Amino acid sequence: MTLIPTWGLRVVGAVALLIVGRIVAGAVRRGVRRVTTRANADATLIPFVSSVAYYLVVAFVVIAVIGIFGIPTASFAAVLGAAGPAIGLALQGTLSTFAAGLMLLVFRPFKVGDLVEVDGELGKVVAIGRITTTMNSLDNKRIIQPDSQGFSGTIVNYDGNETRSFDMVMGISHTDDIVVAMKTIEGIVTAHPKVLSEPPPQIAVSNLGDSSVDLIMRPWCVPDDYWTVYFDLTKQLKEGLEAAGCSIPFPQRDVHLCQEKSAVA
């Protein structure tokens, strides 16, 4: 009869500890989230750090509950250690993906909002989880990739630097004045409000083609203005070169016909 009061008190104590522990764990998670948010921590790290704090508290509570029932925690740890290799082998793929997700959160090759190319897929990063990374493509398709693919392959982060450049090639006729064309291009490029003055845009002759003289220009801008600058300059350069008297030639080929003289009989 003494077992009922003894084990009954232990069960009540264990349940009370679990309830209080979960409340404390939730408070710790909210506190960590609040502190990291005020500290302007990266948006991808805030959920991860708060979740780690939550599960650490839960783990301590579970160990304490096990101790209430008189189960040696050392033996419990030994059982888990023995089962660890089997569990790890069974979950090898999942664990590798989970580890890749942790590496993405720790090393942060990209963050939420960046335009990246991962495993051949281009899109804006929406969320970085511990298993998958979610992106929206430029035509607003949802792309969900396992973190193992992103971390093991090549990652191209188009928003990783503060500035970005691109090459534009415009062709003019071989009979057009190169100096006039280059001055026209320079005026249009430098006049664009979103083109950076430092580093200055580069303008040069890149190729003497069969049908055109190719002029290359390399303006710089911030990543968010990339497509605006690209589309604006494409239109403005064509209109400006034509207004300056330069022509944008089509591919052409001269054909010379040679007529053989007939033999005199």
Side-chain angles (χ1 to χ4, degrees), residues 172 176-186 205 215 246:
I172 62 174
D176 291 336
D177 192 324
I178 295 179
V179 175
V180 172
M182 293 182 68
K183 286 185 177 179
T184 301
I185 292 173
E186 181 180 9
V205 179
L215 304 179
C246 299

Side-chain angles (χ1 to χ4, degrees), residues 78-90:
V79 172
L80 288 180
I87 297 174
L89 184 62

Side-chain angles (χ1 to χ4, degrees), residues 10 24 30 35 38 43-44 51 56-57 89 95 102 124 129 141 154 163 168 179 194 205 211 214 222 233 256 258:
R10 290 184 179 182
V24 172
R30 290 190 296 271
V35 170
R38 289 178 179 175
T44 58
S51 296
L56 282 176
V57 175
L89 184 62
L95 291 176
L102 293 180
K124 282 271 189 181
K141 292 185 296 187
T154 300
T163 58
M168 301 186 68
V179 175
K194 295 185 181 297
V205 179
S211 304
D214 296 330
V222 298
L233 290 184
H256 301 274
C258 298

Side-chain angles (χ1 to χ4, degrees), residues 10 43 70 112 126 133 145 148 151 155-156 165 174 209 254 261:
R10 290 184 179 182
V112 173
V126 177
T133 295
Q145 286 189 330
S148 57
F151 194 74
I155 300 173
V156 181
S165 69
H174 283 275
D254 294 335
K261 295 181 179 180

Side-chain angles (χ1 to χ4, degrees), residues 121-164:
E121 298 288 349
L122 178 67
K124 282 271 189 181
V125 179
V126 177
I128 305 173
R130 288 176 293 278
I131 301 296
T132 59
T133 295
T134 304
M135 303 187 300
N136 284 336
S137 65
L138 298 182
D139 56 353
N140 206 32
K141 292 185 296 187
R142 182 60 57 91
I143 303 171
I144 301 175
Q145 286 189 330
D147 289 335
S148 57
Q149 288 184 332
F151 194 74
S152 61
T154 300
I155 300 173
V156 181
N157 189 344
Y158 293 95
D159 293 333
N161 296 323
E162 295 181 355
T163 58
R164 185 178 171 190

Side-chain angles (χ1 to χ4, degrees), residues 47-120:
F48 172 69
V49 174
S50 59
S51 296
V52 168
Y54 175 82
Y55 288 113
L56 282 176
V57 175
V58 171
F60 282 120
V61 171
V62 171
I63 293 174
V65 170
I66 292 173
I68 290 177
F69 290 100
I71 301 175
T73 55
S75 301
F76 185 72
V79 172
L80 288 180
I87 297 174
L89 184 62
L91 300 177
Q92 182 178 3
T94 303
L95 291 176
S96 64
T97 302
F98 182 80
L102 293 180
M103 294 299 101
L104 288 177
L105 291 173
V106 171
F107 293 103
R108 291 187 293 177
F110 52 82
K111 63 182 184 299
V112 173
D114 283 351
L115 177 65
V116 300
E117 183 177 350
V118 181
D119 196 30

Side-chain angles (χ1 to χ4, degrees), residues 12-26 61 65:
V12 172
V15 172
L17 183 58
L18 285 174
I19 295 174
V20 173
R22 186 168 182 179
I23 294 174
V24 172
V61 171
V65 170

